[in-house]
Amino acid sequence: MWSATLFHEVGTAVVGTATSADKARACSRGGVDVLVVQGPEAGGHRASFTPEPSQGNGVGLLPLLAEVRDAVDLDLIAAGGIMDGGAVAAVLAAGAGAAQLGTAFLRTPESGAHPRHQAALVDPRFSGTSVTLTFSGRPARGLTNAPSGSTGTPPRRPTHRCTI
């Protein structure tokens, strides 16, 4: 089983990511210090164990935080669909100690995102997101377009106990 021991021996804090209470328990058994709880609203790649595009669905971030908080005794960072101060306040009220934002910053000059991608985020032709395996064979949420709708057969990937 995976363990954070070697990281701890050199003074490194270990942060794991989980998309369910079961995965949070696996990370806790592996010795992580802090856990990012990633809801299905998350953009980009999800910290999932199996390459199923349906993993973009499921229990939302707020109820997921409650499930994980009851399952493990770790500090929690909430991630997934947090775009403004109201959402930050909601995840803090739900038991997270911090909020992690990603997509909210893609249009900033510091993000390094390609200008076409930045423009697509506010283009009305892209009115939704979907989860696809197209980019890497792992579930990733992106703007819905012709390529993202085709998942194809995912490449074979190793199974991980905890994503860090």
Side-chain angles (χ1 to χ4, degrees):
M1 165 164 243
W2 179 89
S3 174
T5 304
L6 293 175
F7 291 104
H8 289 144
E9 287 175 1
V10 295
T12 301
V14 178
V15 180
T17 304
T19 57
S20 71
D22 286 341
K23 293 169 185 170
R25 286 184 201 96
C27 286
S28 182
R29 285 189 302 271
V32 301
D33 302 299
V34 178
L35 191 63
V36 175
V37 178
Q38 189 182 42
E41 306 90 343
H45 283 87
R46 301 241 9 252
S48 55
F49 296 154
T50 56
E52 298 295 327
S54 63
Q55 290 180 351
N57 306 317
V59 64
L61 177 59
L62 293 176
L64 179 60
L65 276 169
E67 289 178 17
V68 171
R69 187 184 61 239
D70 291 342
V72 297
D73 186 25
L74 292 169
D75 290 329
L76 306 178
I77 300 170
I82 303 170
M83 298 295 286
D84 58 29
V88 171
V91 298
L92 295 177
Q100 178 177 312
L101 286 71
T103 304
F105 296 111
L106 284 177
R107 295 198 70 235
T108 66
E110 297 84 2
S111 80
H114 193 281
R116 279 183 284 189
H117 186 94
Q118 290 180 334
L121 291 169
V122 293
D123 187 327
R125 293 177 294 171
F126 300 106
S127 60
T129 64
S130 57
V131 177
T132 181
L133 304 177
T134 302
F135 302 114
S136 67
R138 305 297 292 168
R141 180 173 300 284
L143 295 172
T144 302
N145 58 32
S148 70
S150 171
T151 59
T153 303
R156 189 161 172 81
R157 301 275 190 231
T159 300
H160 300 284
R161 296 274 186 247
C162 181
T163 303
I164 57 169

